[in-house]
Amino acid sequence: EPNGTDPVQGWIPQGIDVTRPSIARVYDAALGGKDNFEVDRQAAAQLFARVPDIREGALENRRILSRGVKFLVEQGIDQFLDLGSGLPSAENTHQVAQRHNPDASVVYVDIDPIVLAHGRAILAENSRTRVVTADAREPKAVLNLPEVRELIDFSRPVALMMVAIVHHMADDDDPAGIVRAYLDALPSGSYLFLTHFHANGSPEATAVEEELHGAHDSGRFRSREEIEAFFGGLEVVEPGIVTVPYWRPDGAVAEPLTPAQKLLLGGIARKA
Ligand code: SAM
């Protein structure tokens, strides 16, 4: 049931707060999507004003997501728990995974109800995919969601995806403890796939961090050491934890990378 209209989005799903920007919707706007509202486009415009090619940075994150999911299917993974999945965009986890293995299961979890509002429409026909609204900072609750229990068999390896979500967790949330709590629930042979904003000292990194704080009171860029710590105790696969365009690129990487392309570090690691 719509509760209003928006000139770009058309309809406003019920229960959606359009007076404040949301991370999912601003990211969608940065990617050039249409599932966002005026307040989100304004926040995105401020990002574009400071980092004109920010879209390329967001696209690099979507590209590693797609390459990473394909890699995970090639390792035999057919169950994906995608935390902070975001609004449907091009090449979503279930599309990539199910293209390579039609039997793959995907549970999308996002704190923002807008994701469910759009995801439900897209996924209604797909019995191997679920979308749930939940806070990923509560591993016990998420791991016990009926949708998760229905589609994911915890006696077999799982891919835990935390792609561009952990930098929205504050230090007080204990993000390392959260990642560990999920991994502890997964059997040997499972994988962690994580990307994260990198505090690399560039003016662009500072600008994005400031804008996220202004718009969302969220967004913690972390050092390489802090990001590597999330992978502690796991076997990191080649080429390691790298600036995302360098993670198993499909072809030669066009250099030099722009600062926006260098905003995130990411990698995949296996639980022994
Ligand atoms: N994973 C997608 C990707 O990489 O393209 C989307 C990333 S988007 C930058 C971050 C998403 O994380 C948003 O959709 C936001 O709503 C979600 N998010 C932030 N904090 C969260 C939390 N505590 N629990 C669940 N989702 C969260």
Side-chain angles (χ1 to χ4, degrees):
E1 275 292 298
N3 70 350
T5 58
D6 173 272
V8 172
Q9 157 78 7
W11 58 293
I12 298 174
Q14 208 145 36
I16 299 298
D17 180 359
V18 294
T19 66
R20 288 180 310 155
S22 96
I23 293 163
R25 290 159 9 204
V26 173
Y27 181 67
D28 177 71
L31 281 166
K34 289 200 162 47
D35 300 340
N36 50 74
F37 306 105
E38 186 52 35
V39 68
D40 310 304
R41 294 188 287 276
Q42 279 170 12
Q46 273 179 265
L47 274 171
F48 278 110
R50 296 188 68 182
V51 184
D53 68 333
I54 186 77
R55 176 162 300 158
E56 205 44 45
L59 284 169
E60 290 295 356
N61 185 63
R62 293 299 300 182
R63 292 183 189 122
I64 187 180
L65 188 148
S66 176
R67 297 194 303 275
V69 170
K70 176 167 180 269
F71 170 85
L72 289 163
V73 175
E74 287 166 357
Q75 309 315 303
I77 294 291
D78 63 359
Q79 324 187 76
F80 295 80
L81 181 57
D82 188 347
L83 304 178
S85 49
L87 279 153
S89 180
E91 293 286 85
N92 301 295
T93 301
H94 76 285
Q95 289 159 323
V96 179
Q98 291 170 358
R99 186 186 315 133
H100 299 289
N101 177 358
D103 292 330
S105 302
V106 178
V107 181
Y108 291 114
V109 177
D110 203 286
I111 197 169
D112 191 331
I114 191 82
V115 172
L116 179 60
H118 286 277
R120 214 181 242 149
I122 285 187
L123 304 171
E125 304 291 303
N126 193 313
S127 66
R128 309 293 307 157
T129 308
R130 295 285 180 277
V131 191
V132 210
T133 303
D135 187 341
R137 290 171 298 185
E138 293 169 10
K140 255 199 198 118
V142 169
L143 289 164
N144 285 305
L145 288 166
E147 293 86 349
V148 170
R149 290 282 147 192
E150 184 194 356
L151 280 200
I152 294 184
D153 170 1
F154 285 90
S155 71
R156 296 191 304 108
V158 176
L160 172 67
M161 295 183 51
M162 301 188 87
V163 178
I165 175 181
V166 176
H167 50 234
H168 295 298
M169 297 180 185
D171 290 345
D172 285 349
D173 293 328
D174 184 20
I178 292 169
V179 174
R180 207 173 320 114
Y182 284 106
L183 289 169
D184 283 349
L186 303 182
S188 158
S190 294
Y191 285 86
L192 170 66
F193 178 10
L194 185 146
T195 70
H196 196 292
F197 275 136
H198 183 204
N200 60 14
S202 71
E204 288 78 6
T206 306
V208 173
E209 190 169 27
E210 284 172 7
E211 290 301 327
L212 291 182
H213 276 274
H216 312 290
D217 195 23
S218 148
R220 168 83 163 79
F221 278 55
R222 291 188 170 91
S223 67
R224 163 171 283 282
E225 292 67 33
E226 288 176 301
I227 296 168
E228 284 175 349
F230 295 127
F231 295 88
L234 305 175
E235 300 165 351
V236 179
V237 306
E238 290 297 320
I241 296 152
V242 295
T243 302
V244 295
Y246 291 117
W247 196 89
R248 297 180 183 249
D250 288 327
V253 177
E255 292 181 308
L257 295 180
T258 67
Q261 291 177 296
K262 294 193 224 174
L263 284 170
L264 294 113
L265 289 182
I268 292 186
R270 183 177 181 276
K271 180 173 173 174

